[in-house]
Amino acid sequence: AFAARLAGTFLMYWAFLSSQFTVGSGMDFSSIEAGNGLLFLLAAGLRLGVFPVLVPFSREIPLRREAGTLLRFVVPASSLALLTRLDGLVMPAGWAVILSILALAASVYGVIRYFFASSELTGRSFWVTALAGMATVSIVRGEGEAALIWSTVLLLFGTFQSLHSYRLPGQWWLMLPGF
């Protein structure tokens, strides 16, 4: 998982540098060419664990709640910020279908694994994979607002559920404002 995130970071740097040479002196996300936008999309997908489907860590570091939750959501937050900037991305139809299928498969995998997780803390990485996959599908389909909504739900509801255990009787209703 670390190698995929590192590869995503280097791919993002490469896309940024190649877009600097094609666009000119300044970079604006509204003037990204299709090839560079696809590289940015793949970089965000690698960092989020969507392309290929990765669970970030098979062994959790014992950072459970509070600061551990913040640390676990830093990478998805930064990658989703990049992903939502790719709103006007135009890509070839063949790539759009392939990337949509892969992201949807990652999302379904994340949902199934989250549903069968023993606790909300062990299922946290599957939660990220599921909703990041849906945000990626939204961007590939040209729905930037939907990707922003999926990203907001991932971060707000994900941190809320990681900080508060819904298994406590009578407190499950506290999670409803996250939706």
Side-chain angles (χ1 to χ4, degrees):
F2 177 73
R5 284 189 180 167
L6 189 63
T9 302
F10 284 127
L11 188 62
M12 183 187 63
Y13 288 145
W14 182 39
F16 178 73
L17 289 175
S18 66
S19 66
Q20 287 288 10
F21 291 116
T22 57
V23 173
S25 62
M27 188 183 146
D28 185 9
F29 280 101
S30 64
S31 62
I32 294 178
E33 293 181 358
N36 292 332
L38 188 60
L39 288 176
F40 278 119
L41 180 69
L42 291 176
L46 277 170
R47 290 188 49 81
L48 287 168
V50 175
F51 306 127
V53 178
L54 294 172
V55 178
F57 298 103
S58 59
R59 240 173 172 220
E60 289 279 326
I61 300 172
L63 295 172
R64 303 303 278 175
R65 300 197 190 270
E66 295 97 20
T69 298
L70 292 176
L71 289 175
R72 294 285 186 237
F73 282 105
V74 166
V75 171
S78 63
S79 299
L80 289 169
L82 170 66
L83 193 65
T84 56
R85 296 284 185 161
L86 300 174
D87 185 14
L89 180 64
V90 177
M91 67 177 65
W95 277 98
V97 171
I98 291 170
L99 292 176
S100 294
I101 290 172
L102 289 174
L104 190 61
S107 185
V108 169
Y109 171 77
V111 166
I112 291 171
R113 291 294 304 262
Y114 178 76
F115 183 72
F116 290 113
S118 61
S119 72
E120 66 277 1
L121 293 177
T122 58
R124 179 172 34 202
S125 59
F126 301 114
W127 172 265
V128 170
T129 302
L131 291 179
M134 292 307 295
T136 305
V137 169
S138 299
I139 285 296
V140 168
R141 292 294 174 196
E143 299 293 331
E145 293 84 15
L148 187 60
I149 291 169
W150 284 114
S151 303
T152 304
V153 168
L154 186 154
L155 295 174
L156 292 180
F157 188 65
T159 54
F160 189 77
Q161 71 156 348
S162 294
L163 291 175
H164 301 287
S165 176
Y166 63 87
R167 300 197 191 313
L168 295 174
Q171 292 186 0
W172 61 269
W173 59 271
L174 288 173
M175 293 191 346
L176 291 178
F179 284 113

